């Protein structure tokens, strides 16, 4: 049983995959509507629970094993937020 570890940029939707009572305890990044990358629990994953069902681009370290794929997020950018700058920059 081997594993591949590499750094990549991924685009997908944040989806809850585990619950503790009524609180989200685990997240996955759903890529292309089918590939699920489990998000390792750390400071970024805690922040990301505020953005469930949002589209996001993440810079991450990906670990692929025979059983699953997981990511450790290094940085992220919400893709469905409007950023206009000043009133003159429409």
């Amino acid at each position: 049983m081997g594993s591949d570890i590499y750094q990549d940029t991924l685009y997908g939707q944040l989806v809850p995959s585990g619950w503790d009572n009524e609180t989200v305890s685990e997240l996955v990044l759903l890529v292309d509507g089918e590939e699920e990358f489990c998000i390792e629990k750390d400071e970024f994953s805690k922040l990301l629970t505020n953005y469930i069902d949002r589209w996001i681009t993440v810079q991450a370290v990906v670990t692929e094993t025979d059983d699953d794929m997981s990511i450790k997020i290094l940085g992220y950018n919400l893709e469905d937020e409007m950023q206009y700058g000043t009133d003159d920059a429409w």
Side-chain angles (χ1 to χ4, degrees):
M1 184 186 325
S3 66
D4 289 329
I5 300 173
Y6 56 92
Q7 192 167 336
D8 203 357
T9 299
L10 303 167
Y11 172 75
Q13 185 176 20
L14 287 173
V15 180
S17 64
W19 296 86
D20 183 17
N21 294 321
E22 294 184 22
T23 305
V24 174
S25 62
E26 296 178 31
L27 288 172
V28 297
L29 182 67
L30 185 61
V31 177
D32 292 332
E34 58 188 53
E35 284 187 297
E36 292 184 359
F37 291 84
C38 298
I39 298 174
E40 293 183 15
K41 293 181 182 179
D42 62 7
E43 67 276 358
F44 280 123
S45 64
K46 290 177 187 175
L47 290 171
L48 294 177
T49 58
N50 296 317
Y51 305 117
I52 291 175
D53 294 329
R54 303 276 299 270
W55 292 90
I56 188 170
T57 298
V58 298
Q59 298 77 39
V61 174
V62 180
T63 303
E64 290 188 36
T65 65
D66 294 337
D67 298 327
D68 69 353
M69 294 182 284
S70 65
I71 56 176
K72 176 171 177 51
I73 297 182
L74 305 174
Y76 67 92
N77 186 35
L78 295 174
E79 295 300 334
D80 56 353
E81 285 206 340
M82 304 293 267
Q83 296 179 353
Y84 296 112
T86 66
D87 289 339
D88 296 333
W90 287 67

